[in-house]
Amino acid sequence: MIDILIITISYLVPWYLGWVVVSLLDKHDNLAYLYKLAVSFLIGIGLMTTIIFIYTWTGGNLVGRTLLPMMITPIILLEIIHFKFKSEFSFKKCYKEVKKIKEIIKWKKLNLILLTLLVIYVLSQSVLGAYQIIHNPTYDFDAWNNWNLRPKVIYTQHQLPMNKPNEFFLGGGIKSYPLNDPLLKVWQASLLTKWNENVINLYSLVFYIALIFLFYQSLPKIFSRTIKLISTYLLASLPFLVLHSRIAYADLEITSFIFLAYSALFMYLQTRDKPYLYISAFGLAFSIWTKNEGFALVLPSLIIFMIFLVISKQLRFKTSIKYLLTSLFIVSPWLLFRWLYDLDVLSGDSSSFNMIFQVSEFTRWFSLLLFRSHFSFLLIALFIIMILKIKDIYHSQSLQKMTFAFLLLFALYNFVFMFTDKSQSLNAMIRANMQIIPIAVLLLISYINKFFAQNR
């Protein structure tokens, strides 16, 4: 029980760190309070692990609970700045806003029923997931491929292993993998003062809940509560998403950061409120910091998307440059480390691949993704509406941007599997595509709201 309490604290500290940073970005209180809470958790996690990385890279020792005072220091400094600019502490504002939750009882009966069902579903999956995580050991293959081996080695050695030829460089496993996931676990082990793998691995369940919460809070105000609740249930109930809430992979982490990057960027393009732009930049930066797909696929897709926006005069060139430079600055410690140690950019320890195209592999990819995956109905429905309503999408500026951004990301994610010798790794293709599925759900619900819900 004490371990669970400490693990809870291990999330509350970075959450509050993110809250202070987001509050500083939102100088004029334009962001909804619950939305700020949702994004603060993810931003705080990414900032915390980045600080720990800089600390360990410069020779810091990970002994006992030494990381706790190190993390509290920047929070205090940022809170002082926050107090100077905002004239009141976040705790006071937090208390005032929490009291507004009681307004939920004024919702329509249908929405109250839907909310109750959604909460029951998420709670039941969380309980089942927690039981499975606590009682199931990590398999050898999964441990070696980054997710548990690296943080355990880093924690037990009290430092970041820096000898590249050694098999335990950066903790072992695949050398090129970023360190956001391992250092989060190191942070938790530091507070626990021991390596308790089963309790630490509850993080996958935490990110599942965080993603669901972020998704609901990111839905535009033009959506009715009914549509918001149904679409959130649609995302929460996707079998592959539920599966990954129970295994110690970093896929739900990067899924959350990618969705944060795109959803916040969409909100900025609609509202032109600057905080959304910076929040999106944080999302992009921490997707790079979490898995190689962030650097190899998400960054290039957003660069191309920015070029499209600039050429179509929907975004200023100066703004696009500021956005990309902000993201790269946030993740610069890892990019600098990657450059100094000559790490590869693709998954695995080799960035080389050969361009090939085999009809058999294409048909296998098509079958797996659209007919044998855990979210096939979602993609089929999305592409059918996209084809049938192509003219209407083209004439809707917001849907046009969202559609182009998703198709670009979808194409880049699947290019490696369809046109290179990486097609031999089609078993990982569904897991990779899961990272962009929340954006697909957002796009599908946007179509339904635009073309069907409003026409009744």
Side-chain angles (χ1 to χ4, degrees), residues 276-290:
Y276 288 116
L277 186 69
Y278 292 114
I279 288 172
S280 176
F282 273 104
L284 171 58
F286 294 141
S287 68
I288 295 172
W289 176 223
T290 304

Side-chain angles (χ1 to χ4, degrees), residues 375-390:
F375 36 76
S376 56
F377 72 93
L378 170 67
L379 293 176
I380 291 173
L382 180 64
F383 288 128
I384 287 176
I385 296 176
M386 200 179 291
I387 294 171
L388 294 178
K389 296 289 186 178
I390 186 169

Side-chain angles (χ1 to χ4, degrees), residues 31-249:
L31 302 180
Y33 178 77
L34 292 179
Y35 177 79
K36 287 170 65 174
L37 276 180
V39 302
S40 295
F41 177 79
L42 295 175
I43 290 177
I45 292 290
L47 284 173
M48 180 192 69
T49 54
T50 300
I51 293 172
I52 294 174
F53 172 66
I54 296 172
Y55 173 73
T56 55
W57 187 11
T58 54
N61 235 343
L62 305 172
V63 180
R65 292 174 178 155
T66 55
L67 291 181
L68 185 58
M70 186 190 72
M71 289 309 308
I72 291 177
T73 301
I75 291 176
I76 294 174
L77 294 175
L78 287 170
E79 188 60 90
I80 291 173
I81 298 172
H82 178 260
F83 177 76
K84 180 179 179 181
F85 282 98
K86 307 281 282 191
S87 75
E88 66 175 7
F89 283 105
S90 299
F91 283 125
K92 185 176 180 180
K93 178 71 176 293
C94 179
Y95 175 71
K96 289 180 179 179
E97 294 291 339
V98 166
K99 291 195 299 184
K100 296 180 180 179
I101 295 178
K102 63 184 181 182
E103 295 180 3
I104 291 177
I105 62 175
K106 300 179 183 179
W107 286 13
K108 294 179 180 179
K109 287 185 179 181
L110 174 61
N111 291 331
L112 285 173
I113 293 172
L114 291 173
L115 176 62
T116 301
L117 292 175
L118 176 62
V119 171
I120 291 175
Y121 178 81
V122 173
L123 284 177
S124 63
Q125 291 295 344
S126 300
V127 171
L128 293 172
Y131 179 85
Q132 179 175 328
I133 292 168
I134 291 174
H135 290 86
N136 284 2
T138 301
Y139 296 98
D140 175 71
F141 176 81
D142 292 336
W144 183 255
N145 281 274
N146 186 41
W147 312 123
N148 279 334
L149 173 69
R150 304 182 91 187
K152 186 174 183 179
V153 171
I154 295 170
Y155 174 72
T156 54
Q157 293 191 8
H158 306 305
Q159 61 184 352
L160 196 64
M162 306 289 285
N163 184 12
K164 189 176 180 181
N166 191 288
E167 64 176 339
F168 291 108
F169 172 68
L170 299 184
I174 297 177
K175 296 180 175 65
S176 65
Y177 277 165
L179 293 169
N180 184 24
D181 177 87
L183 291 181
L184 171 59
K185 295 177 181 179
V186 170
W187 155 257
Q188 294 178 325
S190 173
L191 293 190
L192 289 168
T193 65
K194 61 183 177 181
W195 180 258
N196 188 337
E197 184 173 287
N198 289 349
V199 174
I200 289 172
N201 281 343
L202 288 171
Y203 85 101
S204 58
L205 194 59
V206 172
F207 272 95
Y208 168 74
I209 297 172
L211 175 60
I212 300 306
F213 183 45
L214 173 65
F215 181 84
Y216 181 85
Q217 295 302 326
S218 299
L219 295 174
K221 293 181 180 179
I222 59 172
F223 289 4
S224 67
R225 283 200 185 101
T226 304
I227 289 181
K228 287 183 177 181
L229 291 167
I230 292 175
S231 59
T232 304
Y233 172 77
L234 172 62
L235 178 66
S237 62
L238 289 175
F240 209 53
L241 208 68
V242 174
L243 172 65
H244 274 265
S245 71
R246 304 175 182 187
I247 54 179
Y249 281 11

